[in-house]
Amino acid sequence: MTTPDTRTPTAPTLHGRVALVTGAGSGIGAATALSLAEAGARVALVGRRRDRLVAVADRIAQAVPDAPTAAVVMGDVTDAAGLTQSIHAARTEIGAPFDLVCANAGSMLAAPIAAADTAEWDTMISTNIAGVLATIRATVDDLTEAGRAGRAADLVLTSSIGAHLVLPGYAVYTATKAAVTHLGTNLRAELGPGGVRVRVVEPGMTESELGDHMTDPQAREWLARFAIENPPIPASAIAESIRWSAALPVGINVASMIVLPTGQG
Ligand code: NDP
């Protein structure tokens, strides 16, 4: 058996890779799409707000003028059938199957359990759990095919450090993220032997729009205080971790990454 070269490439390259990023219109997803494109990957940008996806595609075109245009894919991860159709169309537009899938779209609508609007629980569960499953189901055949062929194949799930924390008001959100972490750990056992590198990324406090949609005043106040105590890191920090790990040699998987502000502890 030959020993793989485990040195980190100084300029991680993803030339020839075909990526799909959900939630690519803002925050971590937008930064990840840009970072993957800068490393040479073709990227499908999935989300619900076309203007935001187009803006990210424009940023990619400016940053990487030689790269093929990023594909804008209107898709709602809570609509599994519609998402599958959109991803199929994106595959056709890009002209190749996906081998780097980032199931990243997420929603955080924290509120105390007794006062929460239960429709917000539905949104978090359908986006953070069912939406991740729908994304996986729509792309897993591409990934297993790449893995079988001995090519790099990455399934990257964005969970959260919250999967491990005890936070008042955040029970449902953190439960959805614990589910994502557990899903990734188990899928590793299922897909790893076929060559698919399943990776769970657990960000800490990161700059994005995630908290902007919260309606509960108590939870908003808690988050604002937490952000002052733990200044967020840029979304590009998470993106770089994803880019770096995807560029590692075939056969090596950084299976779990907690990426957070140092001060968050
Ligand atoms: P953002 O709110 O900036 O990004 C979330 C993205 O998900 C948006 O672009 C949104 O776009 C998309 N999205 C939401 N619902 C759907 C849907 N139903 N279908 C398709 N896309 C959807 O926040 P982040 O970048 O922070 O979030 C990315 C991931 O990172 C999430 O899973 C989040 O839980 C996780 N995370 C973030 C942390 C942080 O501190 N920021 C910490 C830990 C984890 P659109 O509305 O246009 O569809």
Side-chain angles (χ1 to χ4, degrees):
M1 192 180 114
T2 50
T3 309
D5 183 354
T6 55
R7 288 170 303 171
T8 307
T10 46
T13 176
L14 297 173
H15 286 288
R17 301 291 300 274
V18 185
L20 179 134
V21 181
T22 66
S26 63
I28 293 169
T32 300
L34 179 62
S35 182
L36 299 180
E38 283 175 338
R42 283 175 282 175
V43 187
L45 314 168
V46 183
R48 295 170 301 179
R49 290 170 296 173
R50 178 179 291 280
D51 58 328
R52 303 302 296 268
L53 299 175
V54 169
V56 175
D58 288 347
R59 276 177 67 197
I60 290 175
Q62 276 172 16
V64 203
D66 304 339
T69 316
V72 167
V73 184
M74 293 299 294
D76 182 338
V77 299
T78 67
D79 168 13
L83 181 74
T84 303
Q85 277 182 3
S86 300
I87 290 178
H88 181 68
R91 194 183 286 114
T92 307
E93 183 182 337
I94 287 197
F98 296 105
D99 58 29
L100 204 182
V101 174
C102 300
N104 165 80
S107 169
M108 181 175 77
L109 302 167
I113 203 81
D117 174 353
T118 58
E120 295 190 337
W121 296 350
D122 293 342
T123 299
M124 287 190 283
I125 292 165
S126 62
T127 309
N128 300 358
I129 303 177
V132 168
L133 289 172
T135 305
I136 294 169
R137 187 57 176 258
T139 55
V140 70
D141 288 347
D142 287 7
L143 292 170
T144 51
E145 183 54 40
R148 236 193 323 268
R151 293 186 284 114
D154 293 275
L155 173 61
V156 183
L157 310 183
T158 310
S159 178
S160 167
I161 184 68
H164 307 285
L165 301 182
V166 177
L167 306 174
Y170 286 73
V172 178
Y173 173 72
T174 55
T176 65
K177 289 301 178 179
V180 173
T181 292
H182 200 64
L183 176 71
T185 306
N186 277 270
L187 284 182
R188 215 163 74 216
E190 192 171 324
L191 301 177
V196 179
R197 303 187 290 197
V198 182
R199 182 167 311 125
V200 175
V201 182
E202 297 176 326
M205 201 65 194
T206 306
E207 286 168 0
S208 79
E209 300 175 2
L210 193 65
D212 297 356
H213 312 289
M214 291 204 307
T215 56
D216 183 79
Q218 248 179 288
R220 287 183 72 92
E221 193 189 313
W222 184 92
L223 186 65
R225 228 183 15 251
F226 192 77
I228 291 167
E229 289 159 11
N230 302 277
I233 52 175
S236 59
I238 313 300
E240 284 309 297
S241 307
I242 293 172
R243 161 162 99 157
W244 162 81
S245 54
L248 284 170
V250 168
I252 299 163
N253 183 21
V254 177
S256 171
M257 294 195 290
I258 296 177
V259 185
L260 70 172
T262 307
Q264 193 174 332

